[in-house]
Amino acid sequence: MAPPVIKLRGLARTYPGSPPVHAVRPADLVIEAGDYVAVTGPSGSGKSTLLHLLGLLDTPTAGTYLLDGLDTSTLGDRDRSALRGSSIGFVFQAFHLLPYRTAAENVLLAELYNRTPRGARIRAAEHALGSVGLGHRLDALPTTLSGGESQRVAIARALVNRPSLLLCDEPTGNLDSRNAATVMELLGELNEAGFTIVVITHDPAIGARARRTVAMRDGVASETVAAAAAVAVKDRA
């Protein structure tokens, strides 16, 4: 049986100061392969800090974080970077596309350190864009793309390496309601296709699309009773 994609035990992040800031208080969480989890809460609740911990962009001050069964606390900076590049795909509110690179080239940049032949990487980038409905826009520059198309390019870039975890930070924050709905439908389809997705959002409507919800408030992460019970059952299995 494969290990969970994410397993947190007492994971916490405290920033020093007078008084210290407990951005994330000790949290236990299990996310299995193929799950779809929304982390919700107001500004300052600890969502962004939790995202940085899950994305290996920051290190915890307490507890453990197992990613695909690997204890990340044992890794040095280089190994953390390598694991982040191979196992985590990021989708941010800002699209972070290079303006003078085509859609295909922007996706291809995610494979920069991939040792597979360039031809195979190009085919993978084209396939990723096709999977988000942009197979006809391979040569388009970001300046010619709509906001929704730009976010779909960013999603293609995040999934081109088939990561274990797709980590989305307010993915609809810069979109109008129509494009936001399209992007959320796409994330649902990717989850149905087997991708494990964690979405960070302050929007309850976005969170409602996920299978499970983790609410953050004052650094404390808590699930609904039903979801927490499901996790406990999986943990005992």
Side-chain angles (χ1 to χ4, degrees):
M1 183 176 178
V5 173
I6 289 173
K7 187 170 185 177
L8 309 183
R9 284 293 176 265
L11 193 79
R13 183 65 168 100
T14 300
Y15 295 101
S18 184
V21 177
H22 301 289
V24 174
R25 298 179 185 271
D28 295 345
L29 180 65
V30 174
I31 297 177
E32 303 284 357
D35 211 342
Y36 186 174
V37 178
V39 179
T40 65
S43 297
S45 61
K47 300 190 311 297
S48 294
T49 302
L50 182 62
L51 177 141
H52 289 159
L53 293 172
L54 296 180
L56 300 178
L57 300 170
D58 195 4
T59 55
T61 49
T64 59
Y65 171 19
L66 274 63
L67 178 61
D68 290 330
L70 179 64
D71 187 352
T72 62
S73 66
T74 66
L75 303 178
D77 289 343
R78 179 173 294 184
D79 289 336
R80 286 171 63 86
S81 295
L83 182 61
R84 183 168 58 243
S86 64
S87 297
I88 304 174
F90 292 92
V91 179
F92 295 104
Q93 178 175 333
F95 316 128
H96 298 305
L97 302 180
L98 297 182
Y100 301 111
R101 299 274 190 166
T102 67
E105 288 170 336
N106 269 281
V107 173
L108 192 61
L109 288 172
E111 302 181 280
L112 189 60
Y113 300 105
N114 193 323
R115 294 185 178 181
T116 57
R118 178 174 173 79
R121 288 186 280 122
I122 291 173
R123 289 191 295 274
E126 293 174 348
H127 181 269
L129 283 165
S131 71
V132 300
L134 291 177
H136 62 298
R137 300 287 268 157
L138 301 178
D139 297 324
L141 293 173
T143 51
T144 70
L145 299 173
S146 69
E149 288 176 325
S150 294
Q151 190 61 297
R152 281 190 278 160
V153 172
I155 292 171
R157 181 182 57 198
L159 60 83
V160 68
N161 289 324
R162 300 290 304 183
S164 300
L165 173 65
L166 196 59
L167 194 54
C168 307
D169 184 16
E170 302 284 4
T172 63
N174 284 342
L175 303 178
D176 59 33
S177 58
R178 181 177 62 85
N179 280 312
T182 299
V183 166
M184 293 312 299
E185 287 170 8
L186 173 60
L187 290 179
E189 291 169 3
L190 291 172
N191 177 245
E192 290 294 330
F195 282 94
T196 306
I197 299 176
V198 175
V199 175
I200 309 294
T201 182
H202 70 279
D203 186 343
I206 299 299
R209 290 176 174 263
R211 299 185 184 188
R212 293 166 54 196
T213 300
V214 175
M216 292 289 297
R217 184 168 293 276
D218 298 327
V220 177
S222 58
E223 292 192 73
T224 63
V225 173
V231 172
V233 169
K234 289 179 180 178
D235 237 3
R236 291 195 296 269

